[in-house]
Amino acid sequence: MTNIPETGRTPRVQIRLVVIQILVLSLLGTLGGRLWYLQIRNGDEYAKEASGNHVQQVVSPAVRGSILDARGVPIADNETRLVVSASRTDLLKMKDDGKAVLSKLAAVLGMKPQDVMEKVRLCDAKTPQPCWNGSPYQPIPITDEATAKQALQIRERSEDFPGITAEPEAVRRYAAPGGANTAQVLGYLSPVTDDEITKAEDSDSPYLRSDQVGRSGLERQYDQELRGKAGVTRYEVDNLGRVIGQAESDAAEPGSNVVTSIDARVQRVAEYQLNEAMKDARDVFDKNTGENYKADSGAVVVMEAKTGRVVAMASNPSYDPNAWVGGISGKDYAQLTGKTSNYPLLNRAIQGQSAPGSIFKVVPTAAAINAGYSFDGPYECSSSYSIGGQTFKNFETKGYGPISLGRALEVSCDTVFYRLSHEEWKKDGGIDPKGKPNDWFYKTAHQFGLGAETGIDLPNEVTGRIPDRQWKESYWEANKDSWCKYGKKGGTYAEQIAYENCLEGNKMRAGDSVNYSIGQGDTLVTPIQMAAIYGAISNGGTLYEPTVGKAIVSADGKNVEEIAPKANGKLPMTSKTRDEIDGALAGVATQGTAAWRFGGWPQDEIPMHAKTGTAEVYGKQTTSWFATYTKDYTVVMTISQGGTGSGASGPAVRNIYNALYGVSADGTIDSKKALLPTPQKSLPKIQSDGSIDAPKIEKYDPKKEQASETEALGGIDGQLPGATVSSPSAENRDTRRRRARGRGCGRRRTTGNRRLLT
């Protein structure tokens, strides 16, 4: 056996020991550095986080502020209900994800198990409503309509319902005082989402997972003021979760109340009259289509002329906003969003846009004067006007001879405006202008505020559209490929229009200007825009930013922040022109196209001004427009596929004025019946405890006025005693006028489709 000298292994062992020593020292250095970082460098931060492990928070939701009408009547407030909720976290701990518990709960509540399960599933791109779009860690409400007996069953048998609670809570209530629904103006609430919580973390008003957030209307516009601040109580707990003390507590701060300019009494009348006008229109036969008018949607705005404050705003079809309280059911959601419902969530007063027809004529009237034409004229009101072989006929194919612009407004003479717009089109260089054209008719419309938002304090307002040269160019760029692909020379009407638009849809053609001058073609407006314009004519020329909110009042009543009317500018006309147009619109109500609706009106005491409009839209029945004002109010109503302006909307608008001023069938004014003869200026009285006086309001009963209203509408031709109306009746004249326009000119006045004119 050979012995290996120890000196042969000694160097290798020493090297290994050195390496091990280095590794040990490195690990000790790393550990020491990490300990220094945790205990010294960031010691305070981690100590603070660690202390949080021993503190649990309990959130007390703030009571949401009320939304009140101008006299203090609650139109949205809160009430205590028994709310049954489910903890999704607890349910998912069960083997069947809580299906058995939810089925038992459904039996107690008298609901279908499937409906209950849909309530607690989370919303995502693939999950249809109903579903929960709030935090998955927040108790999910199943119903807020539980009875005391049902709540007692759940609480006494808690072992059978793990993760289920039944507690009294303050929930939103949309009171509909006197039947004033006010749905689209108020909006609705739904739970806050995780994305919203994250985005609001660094804001002055962060969200808590228990918060409900306004999704539309005033609930969204004034959400921050209404929401208040939730209370948070922090408890110290041990490692077993047992409370060992209270760290601190922040009391909940209730939300502020929003006082609006809405008068619930006028609102209920406006809603009723709009609905009745639509029902009546559906009983009228439309000879152009061979069926009754559909009258599928409508809107009405009642506004203070001198301030822009909205007194009433109704949109139809409507809905009950209480459907959203406590989580909306699948059936209700389908009804509100399905195509067959015609989208009742839309506020058509600010989101419904259509061609305005003849109520637009105040704009080209001002434009003509700005371009240098005289108000007095004379201008030839012939039975027709021809451009490049295309004949545009006046109503009844009747001419009035030389008339002023005022008389053209009274009788709504189209050919006067055809001539003026065509002359200006030629002055601007025709289809190929050189240099920068004046474009008075388009520029003036923008100065009236059209083609832009009015700025009303409601979300999602649309702008409407003024089809000027810039718009035509951008619209052509976006659509020329499809027009060129679909268009066919000599094909169907739609194919021919597409062919013409493909060739020169970016050019301002004579036909475009002619259609535009009478509120047709591609022009789109909203009821709130036209209410602002007619209100400005009434008040002397000031365009106001429409407002619904009137004041923000703190819950204790000590802080009141009034929302003052805000002027957006002046109408582009002199005071002389304003007075001339004002006089012409008074003539419309006394001897023009609206006279048959205002016969017997106390014109000397309450001067009435009006303009009727009947707009034609390709593929649909005519849209009814009626724009009116007095020294106090402007009322604008529109009914889609409802027929003529004065025929469909006229009676309803007259009845709204009757209610406002207390006008009886014989034209006398009964102040006891008047709801609001002058606008409400003062705020409701606030008590020392912060509560606000709220007068009682009775449900609107039109039957009480049925006899007087029937008398007010006159005989079969709709005339009143003393009315200044020529024969035949204005309704028949308006109908013949529309039919006459259709003869000899195809569908030349169709929104979005134009004839090729040179």
Side-chain angles (χ1 to χ4, degrees):
M1 181 175 180
T2 305
N3 294 326
I4 299 175
E6 291 184 10
T7 56
R9 293 186 299 183
T10 300
R12 291 196 295 270
V13 171
Q14 289 176 341
I15 291 172
R16 290 172 182 171
L17 290 173
V18 170
V19 170
I20 291 172
Q21 288 173 351
I22 292 172
L23 289 173
V24 170
L25 290 173
S26 297
L27 290 172
L28 289 173
T30 302
L31 180 60
R34 184 61 178 167
L35 288 172
W36 175 87
Y37 179 82
L38 293 174
Q39 294 185 9
I40 299 175
R41 175 67 174 81
N42 279 15
D44 293 341
E45 178 183 344
Y46 287 109
K48 183 178 179 180
E49 289 189 11
S51 66
N53 293 333
H54 301 287
V55 175
Q56 295 293 332
Q57 295 186 155
V58 176
V59 177
S60 301
V63 176
R64 193 171 180 86
S66 298
I67 301 175
L68 313 171
D69 86 340
R71 301 190 307 149
V73 177
I75 48 181
D77 57 5
N78 307 289
E79 66 179 356
T80 301
R81 296 186 190 177
L82 285 170
V83 178
V84 176
S85 303
S87 169
R88 181 177 171 82
T89 303
D90 291 342
L91 294 175
L92 291 179
K93 292 178 182 178
M94 304 174 191
K95 292 182 179 180
D96 62 350
D97 294 334
K99 291 182 180 178
V101 172
L102 294 177
S103 296
K104 287 183 196 175
L105 180 63
V108 171
L109 297 177
M111 299 173 65
K112 295 180 180 178
Q114 183 64 28
D115 291 342
V116 174
M117 292 175 189
E118 287 177 350
K119 289 254 189 177
V120 299
R121 64 183 180 179
L122 300 182
C123 293
D124 56 32
K126 297 180 180 179
T127 304
Q129 287 281 354
C131 57
W132 177 249
N133 67 345
S135 169
Y137 305 105
Q138 177 183 341
I140 302 173
I142 303 298
T143 181
D144 60 1
E145 297 179 346
T147 64
K149 181 180 178 180
Q150 291 169 335
L152 191 60
Q153 282 182 273
I154 294 169
R155 299 188 69 168
E156 287 186 340
R157 296 163 50 197
S158 58
E159 69 280 0
D160 292 335
F161 299 101
I164 307 300
T165 58
E167 301 290 343
E169 293 181 17
V171 298
R172 206 58 167 164
R173 178 184 72 134
Y174 298 99
N181 190 32
T182 331
Q184 291 86 357
V185 176
L186 290 172
Y188 58 92
L189 304 175
S190 70
V192 66
T193 65
D194 285 342
D195 287 343
E196 289 169 329
I197 292 173
T198 302
K199 290 178 182 178
E201 281 178 351
D202 298 327
S203 69
D204 295 333
S205 181
Y207 290 120
L208 294 172
R209 294 193 181 278
S210 58
D211 280 337
Q212 295 273 317
V213 181
R215 295 301 177 193
S216 67
L218 294 171
E219 293 279 28
R220 176 176 170 182
Q221 186 73 26
Y222 294 100
D223 181 71
Q224 186 170 333
E225 292 83 356
L226 290 164
R227 184 157 34 95
K229 184 178 179 181
V232 179
T233 302
R234 298 169 182 84
Y235 293 98
E236 294 181 0
V237 297
D238 60 16
N239 60 344
L240 297 178
R242 293 173 298 193
V243 176
I244 59 177
Q246 182 173 319
E248 57 182 342
S249 178
D250 298 326
E253 299 176 9
S256 297
N257 299 315
V258 175
V259 178
T260 71
S261 54
I262 297 290
D263 187 299
R265 301 169 303 170
V266 181
Q267 178 72 26
R268 66 184 182 180
V269 173
E271 290 175 359
Y272 176 84
Q273 292 298 337
L274 173 62
N275 189 62
E276 289 299 297
M278 293 172 62
K279 286 167 57 178
D280 290 344
R282 296 183 194 118
D283 291 333
V284 177
F285 185 72
D286 179 12
K287 294 181 180 179
N288 289 328
T289 61
E291 58 183 353
N292 286 7
Y293 286 107
K294 294 181 175 64
D296 53 358
S297 63
V300 60
V301 176
V302 182
M303 180 187 293
E304 293 179 9
K306 293 183 176 69
T307 65
R309 285 179 169 143
V310 176
V311 178
M313 177 182 285
S315 179
N316 194 309
S318 190
Y319 69 99
D320 181 3
N322 288 297
W324 293 91
V325 177
I328 191 167
S329 69
K331 180 180 179 182
D332 287 342
Y333 187 82
Q335 288 178 345
L336 293 180
T337 58
K339 187 176 180 180
T340 55
S341 68
N342 201 14
Y343 311 108
L345 295 178
L346 286 177
N347 183 350
R348 286 173 166 82
I350 65 170
Q351 296 174 300
Q353 48 189 3
S354 63
S358 293
I359 68 167
F360 180 75
K361 287 177 180 174
V362 294
V363 176
T365 299
I369 296 171
N370 292 343
Y373 295 90
S374 167
F375 186 85
D376 295 328
Y379 303 100
E380 185 63 28
C381 178
S382 56
S383 60
S384 64
Y385 184 70
S386 298
I387 304 176
Q390 184 70 50
T391 300
F392 295 84
K393 295 191 176 184
N394 203 23
F395 68 90
E396 290 186 324
T397 64
K398 177 182 179 180
Y400 286 83
I403 61 175
S404 67
L405 284 176
R407 184 61 178 161
L409 287 173
E410 288 181 2
V411 299
S412 211
C413 179
D414 290 339
T415 53
V416 167
F417 295 97
Y418 294 156
R419 282 187 168 84
L420 289 171
S421 64
H422 191 211
E423 286 179 17
E424 279 303 299
W425 177 79
K426 289 187 289 186
K427 286 181 181 180
D428 285 336
I431 200 166
D432 291 307
K434 295 179 180 179
K436 188 175 181 180
N438 289 318
D439 282 339
W440 282 108
F441 279 51
Y442 299 95
K443 180 168 64 177
T444 302
H446 285 295
Q447 293 170 335
F448 267 79
L450 296 175
E453 296 177 4
T454 64
I456 188 171
D457 55 343
L458 290 173
N460 302 320
E461 180 188 7
V462 299
T463 63
R465 182 170 66 205
I466 295 300
D468 52 19
R469 296 177 193 274
Q470 182 179 354
W471 176 83
K472 285 184 67 65
E473 183 66 34
S474 60
Y475 192 69
W476 181 73
E477 288 288 346
N479 293 278
K480 63 179 179 179
D481 290 342
S482 61
W483 282 335
C484 294
K485 182 179 180 180
Y486 177 75
K488 180 181 179 181
K489 185 177 181 180
T492 64
Y493 174 74
E495 290 172 337
Q496 177 66 23
I497 290 296
Y499 170 77
E500 295 168 0
N501 285 337
C502 169
L503 294 178
E504 53 182 15
N506 61 330
K507 296 179 184 261
M508 185 67 71
R509 296 168 288 192
D512 296 323
S513 293
V514 164
N515 285 339
Y516 169 79
S517 72
I518 57 170
Q520 293 283 175
D522 291 306
T523 307
L524 295 175
V525 302
T526 63
I528 194 66
Q529 287 175 326
M530 300 313 294
I533 287 173
Y534 278 84
I537 298 173
S538 171
N539 68 40
T542 301
L543 278 165
Y544 280 99
E545 191 173 276
T547 53
V548 181
K550 195 172 183 180
I552 308 295
V553 182
S554 62
D556 59 10
K558 295 179 180 179
N559 297 315
V560 179
E561 179 187 347
E562 292 195 45
I563 302 170
K566 181 181 177 182
N568 268 344
K570 301 286 288 185
L571 291 178
M573 62 177 72
T574 64
S575 58
K576 179 176 181 294
T577 300
R578 202 287 320 182
D579 292 343
E580 289 170 332
I581 292 177
D582 179 75
L585 296 177
V588 173
T590 57
Q591 57 188 11
T593 56
W596 71 304
R597 290 306 187 194
F598 286 109
W601 179 261
Q603 190 73 8
D604 292 340
E605 298 174 78
I606 310 171
M608 178 63 65
H609 307 73
K611 189 71 193 81
T612 59
T614 306
E616 297 175 4
V617 181
Y618 176 62
K620 292 187 176 183
Q621 296 169 312
T622 55
T623 299
S624 169
W625 282 94
F626 204 42
T628 61
Y629 66 83
T630 62
K631 62 182 177 62
D632 305 300
Y633 304 104
T634 177
V635 179
V636 174
M637 181 177 286
T638 183
I639 300 176
S640 171
Q641 303 196 91
T644 64
S646 60
S649 300
V653 171
R654 169 66 187 265
N655 287 335
I656 292 172
Y657 278 114
N658 288 347
L660 282 167
Y661 290 109
V663 178
S664 301
D666 60 0
T668 59
I669 301 173
D670 186 346
S671 59
K672 293 181 180 180
K673 290 184 178 180
L675 295 181
L676 203 62
T678 58
Q680 178 82 23
K681 294 182 179 179
S682 61
L683 294 175
K685 185 178 179 181
I686 303 173
Q687 301 293 343
S688 58
D689 61 355
S691 62
I692 297 176
D693 281 349
K696 292 183 179 180
I697 178 171
E698 296 180 0
K699 193 172 182 65
Y700 181 49
D701 184 6
K703 293 182 179 180
K704 291 182 179 179
E705 306 296 330
Q706 192 65 45
S708 60
E709 288 180 6
T710 302
E711 183 182 351
L713 293 178
I716 58 170
D717 65 352
Q719 296 185 35
L720 279 169
T724 309
V725 184
S726 58
S727 180
S729 72
E731 166 66 353
N732 293 332
R733 181 175 69 226
D734 206 1
T735 302
R736 281 199 297 275
R737 167 189 179 185
R738 182 163 41 78
R739 289 203 301 269
R741 283 176 176 163
R743 293 195 293 268
C745 56
R747 293 185 181 271
R748 57 161 184 84
R749 299 174 59 222
T750 55
T751 299
N753 298 277
R754 300 166 299 282
R755 302 285 288 189
L756 176 58
L757 299 173
T758 56

